Amino acid sequence: MPQQFHFISGLPRSGSTLLSAILRQNPAFCAGISSPVAPLLTSMLQQFSAGSEHASLVSTAQRQTLLQGLFHSYYAEQQDKRVVFDTNRLWCARLPLLQKLFPQSKVIACVRNVAWIMDSLERLYSADPFENSRLFNDEAERNTVYSRTDTLAMSNRMVGFAWTALKDAYYSPHANSVLLVDYQLLTEAPEKVLKLIYQFIDEPWFEHRFDDVAFDTPEFDQNIGLSGLHRIRSQVAVAARQTILPPDLFERYAAMNFWDQDTSSQANVIRIKQQ
């Protein structure tokens, strides 16, 4: 049978690595950290599109075949896996394309209170004062917690781009192919959340272990200059803590969680019940 492709996207520091580590326990599934497929696809599209000298030589049908071939080529060594989850924050901004390439595909968008995302990134940055992370381009961006969070929230940077892409997907005509998974719920009730994900992608349930999901990519994280970015503990559990953000910053970014209250979208959302 041909491989079924699904996609993991959404906000950073919101459980995508944890979710992938859990899903890959299923021997029929392939899942990992952010792959190069999305940027490769973007580069190929540039070669096909208006302004390229080759655009007129590649028909729409050829474009579709070539882009589908990119996925199959990248995952050729995973032919024993019936279902492939490719991870990238770009996928939320590419729903029309994904629906054309793989009409049965679903997008699992990991979300989290944006204030806690900023808190998490600030903790990682502060944990290594001897490293200038590649998240920031110069001293003006990395000088203070205010400049760092402002930079990350820009529309072309780590948090801001992912947030706008998520909002794009949430209100898209293809939103019914998207499932938003809240990080807090994933850590509080992993089995219940995973069962809902299995229902969403129409796959038979697999008994997962939630006390053996340790994962780390030190070489990848070192290249970014942010040690521990993709490190997860072996036990899926809630880690309660106090924020290290100034109160005004925490309040500002907590107000960005549009999916908590707005139910006008056709997107599927695993929400925390409001008391």
Side-chain angles (χ1 to χ4, degrees), residues 122-153:
E122 180 64 18
R123 284 176 182 273
L124 290 175
Y125 178 82
S126 301
D128 190 356
F130 300 107
E131 177 67 78
N132 278 339
S133 170
R134 290 177 57 197
L135 290 181
F136 310 105
N137 293 331
D138 52 41
E139 289 305 308
E141 291 185 353
R142 67 172 60 92
N143 269 335
T144 72
V145 64
Y146 288 91
S147 62
R148 290 191 290 272
T149 54
D150 283 347
T151 298
L152 292 171

Side-chain angles (χ1 to χ4, degrees), residues 100-274:
K100 288 288 186 181
L101 294 176
F102 306 107
Q104 303 305 314
S105 68
K106 306 292 186 181
V107 176
I108 303 170
C110 297
V111 299
R112 187 182 190 180
N113 185 318
V114 180
W116 284 114
I117 293 174
M118 292 298 193
D119 175 273
S120 181
L121 290 167
E122 180 64 18
R123 284 176 182 273
L124 290 175
Y125 178 82
S126 301
D128 190 356
F130 300 107
E131 177 67 78
N132 278 339
S133 170
R134 290 177 57 197
L135 290 181
F136 310 105
N137 293 331
D138 52 41
E139 289 305 308
E141 291 185 353
R142 67 172 60 92
N143 269 335
T144 72
V145 64
Y146 288 91
S147 62
R148 290 191 290 272
T149 54
D150 283 347
T151 298
L152 292 171
M154 293 170 62
S155 62
N156 63 341
R157 303 301 276 272
M158 186 179 191
V159 178
F161 169 74
W163 185 82
T164 54
L166 175 67
K167 206 166 189 179
D168 185 345
Y170 191 76
Y171 295 106
S172 164
H174 304 284
N176 60 352
S177 67
V178 179
L179 174 67
L180 273 66
V181 177
D182 187 276
Y183 177 75
Q184 183 177 338
L185 279 177
L186 179 61
T187 55
E188 287 180 350
E191 183 171 351
K192 290 181 179 180
V193 170
L194 263 291
K195 285 184 176 180
L196 290 172
I197 291 174
Y198 270 76
Q199 292 176 18
F200 182 65
I201 62 176
D202 195 24
E203 288 290 332
W205 174 243
F206 175 85
E207 290 293 336
H208 287 276
R209 306 180 309 278
F210 302 108
D211 57 355
D212 184 23
V213 295
F215 185 83
D216 199 4
T217 57
E219 297 86 1
F220 187 94
D221 296 349
Q222 184 178 5
N223 185 52
I224 301 174
L226 208 63
S227 178
L229 183 64
H230 292 94
R231 183 187 305 136
I232 58 174
R233 296 164 297 176
S234 60
Q235 178 78 37
V236 180
V238 177
R241 64 172 189 256
Q242 295 293 318
T243 181
I244 63 171
L245 296 181
D248 57 326
L249 280 186
F250 192 90
E251 183 178 353
R252 181 200 307 177
Y253 290 111
M256 294 175 64
N257 308 328
F258 60 87
W259 61 89
D260 279 345
Q261 303 295 334
D262 190 342
T263 59
S264 63
S265 167
Q266 294 184 13
N268 304 273
V269 184
I270 303 177
R271 285 189 175 88
I272 297 175
K273 290 185 177 180
Q274 302 296 323

